[in-house]
Amino acid sequence: MPTPYRYVTPVPREAATGRVAEVYDQIARDFGMARMPLFMTLSPAPDVLAPTWAVLRESLLAGQAPRAAKEVVAAGISLANKCPFCVDAHAMLLHATGEHRLAENVARGETPSDPEHARLFAWATGTATAGQAPPCPPDQAAEYVGTALAFHFINRMVSSLLTADLLPAGLQRSRLVRNLGGRALSRTVRRRLPQGEALPLLRGLPSGRVPAWGVGTPAGTAFAALHATAGEGAALLGGTAGRVVVEVVASWDGAHPVLSGGALSGGALSGGPSGPLAEVAPAERPAARLALLAALAPYRVTDADVAAWREAGGGRSDADLVRLLALGAIIAVWRIEAALAVATP
C-alpha cells in the first residue's frame, strides 16, 4: 500500500522508545491522531521531532486565542507556501471546530467572509513578503506569531519529505471526506489544552534565546529550542556552503523563486559561473542545494537531489537528511521572523 513517506523510514509507533515514544503519546492524546505523517517522518531525528511538535502544540493547540482563528493562519501560511498536504489537513481541522463553510472557503484559497478571519488570513498569506504584527489582541500575539512561524517550518519539512496526499488516492480533496474527518476529530479539537505540557519533551536539547515576541510564553520557549536544534544541522554543511546558503536566503524577497535563471535553477545550483554555489566545493554542493531548496522551494526537492547528497556523503542516514532539511527550513524562518519581530508589539 502506498505511503506518504518519500525519503525516510519513520519509526513505527509500536517500536518507538524514549523521546520519540513520548512525543507520539502526547500527539495521540492532544491531537487525537495516533499516527501523524509529519511527525513520523521527523522521527529518525528526535532532536528535530520534539521541538517541532512542541512549537505546534504550544502555539496552535494550547492558549487563549480561538482555535479556528489559528487554523485560518495555519491554512493561510500553507497556501502561501504551496503545501497542499497542509492545506487539506487544516481544512479538515477547521471542519473539526464546526466552521464548515470557513473550512471549504479556505480549502479553495478564498478569503473568509468573517472580517476577523479575513484579516488573519491576509496577514498569514503575506508573512513571507511583508513583515507586520498580527491583527489580534496583544496578549494573543505570541500564539499567532508562533503558529505562523511553526507552519513556515512545518510546510518546508512536509513538502520536502512527504507526498502531496494526506490520505490514499488523494481522498482528502473530497469535501465529504474533509467534513467526515473533521467531525471524527471534533471532540479533541474543541478541548482547551493547558499550556506548557510539551516543554518537558525538550529536556537535554539545546536551547537558544527566546525571541522577543515569545518572552514568557511556552510557545516562545519551544521556538527557542527549535531554533537551536535545527541550527545544529549546520554541521552537515562545510563552512563556505553554510555561509552561501545563509547569504542567499538573507537576500530572498519571500516570493517563490523562478523556475530558471534564478538562485534555484539547475545551472546555478550546480555551481555554474554565475550561480550562488560556484564558490562551494563540488563535494559540498549537493548538501547546499538541499538546504537551499528546503528554505526557498521545498516542493522542488527531487529523488535526484537526495540521491546526489547521499552519494556525495558516502551514504547518509535518514536522521542526517531530516537535520539538513530542518537547517534550510529554519534559515528561511529566521529571515521571516526577523521582519515579523520588528513589528510585533
Side-chain angles (χ1 to χ4, degrees):
M1 181 176 178
T3 74
Y5 307 107
R6 296 176 71 194
Y7 304 120
V8 306
T9 301
V11 177
R13 180 168 170 76
E14 298 76 13
T17 59
R19 199 188 308 269
V20 175
E22 292 177 48
V23 172
Y24 281 0
D25 287 346
Q26 194 171 86
I27 290 170
R29 184 192 72 202
D30 290 352
F31 219 124
M33 297 176 66
R35 290 172 174 79
M36 290 187 67
L38 159 66
F39 294 106
M40 293 189 73
T41 204
L42 301 182
S43 61
D47 51 320
V48 175
L49 168 67
T52 303
W53 160 249
V55 170
L56 181 144
R57 185 198 184 278
E58 301 302 337
S59 58
L60 177 67
L61 306 189
Q64 299 304 310
R67 175 68 181 272
K70 291 189 284 189
E71 290 290 349
V72 167
V73 169
I77 297 288
S78 301
L79 280 161
N81 287 332
K82 298 184 178 181
C83 183
F85 186 104
C86 291
V87 172
D88 291 330
H90 293 285
M92 189 177 297
L93 289 166
L94 276 167
H95 276 294
T97 69
E99 294 278 3
H100 303 297
R101 180 179 177 185
L102 174 62
E104 292 307 308
N105 285 349
V106 167
R108 293 189 295 267
E110 299 172 357
T111 299
S113 57
D114 176 82
E116 179 184 354
H117 291 155
R119 288 191 293 271
L120 287 167
F121 185 76
W123 173 75
T125 56
T127 47
T129 54
Q132 54 186 302
C136 68
D139 63 345
Q140 296 177 3
E143 293 177 44
Y144 285 107
V145 172
T147 296
L149 297 178
F151 280 92
H152 276 297
F153 182 83
I154 287 168
N155 289 165
R156 285 166 168 80
M157 301 305 289
V158 166
S159 293
S160 299
L161 291 170
L162 297 174
T163 68
D165 286 337
L166 175 63
L167 296 174
L171 288 173
Q172 75 284 344
R173 299 188 188 97
S174 161
R175 176 175 180 166
L176 176 62
V177 170
R178 286 195 295 263
N179 191 308
L180 291 174
R183 291 178 188 277
L185 293 169
S186 62
R187 180 172 298 180
T188 301
V189 167
R190 296 184 191 190
R191 283 188 297 145
R192 187 176 294 277
L193 298 178
Q195 292 181 298
E197 291 190 352
L199 300 186
L201 299 171
L202 306 177
R203 66 188 181 282
L205 295 179
S207 182
R209 179 182 60 84
V210 176
W213 59 261
V215 169
T217 70
T221 300
F223 206 81
L226 181 60
H227 267 226
T229 55
E232 290 200 332
L236 297 167
L237 291 177
T240 300
R243 174 180 58 77
V244 168
V245 169
V246 170
E247 289 175 353
V248 170
V249 177
S251 65
W252 172 52
D253 63 3
H256 291 280
V258 296
L259 286 170
S260 62
L264 292 182
S265 64
L269 281 188
S270 65
S274 61
L277 299 190
E279 61 182 294
V280 176
E284 296 175 357
R285 288 176 193 161
R289 176 176 171 82
L290 273 179
L292 273 177
L293 285 169
L296 306 183
Y299 44 83
R300 294 184 194 163
V301 171
T302 67
D303 295 356
D305 293 320
V306 175
W309 169 76
R310 290 190 187 276
E311 291 167 9
R316 296 279 194 172
S317 69
D318 286 357
D320 282 344
L321 179 58
V322 170
R323 291 177 181 127
L324 178 62
L325 294 170
L327 173 68
I330 203 66
I331 291 172
V333 173
W334 289 337
R335 157 39 196 96
I336 295 165
E337 181 191 23
L340 292 177
V342 168
T344 300

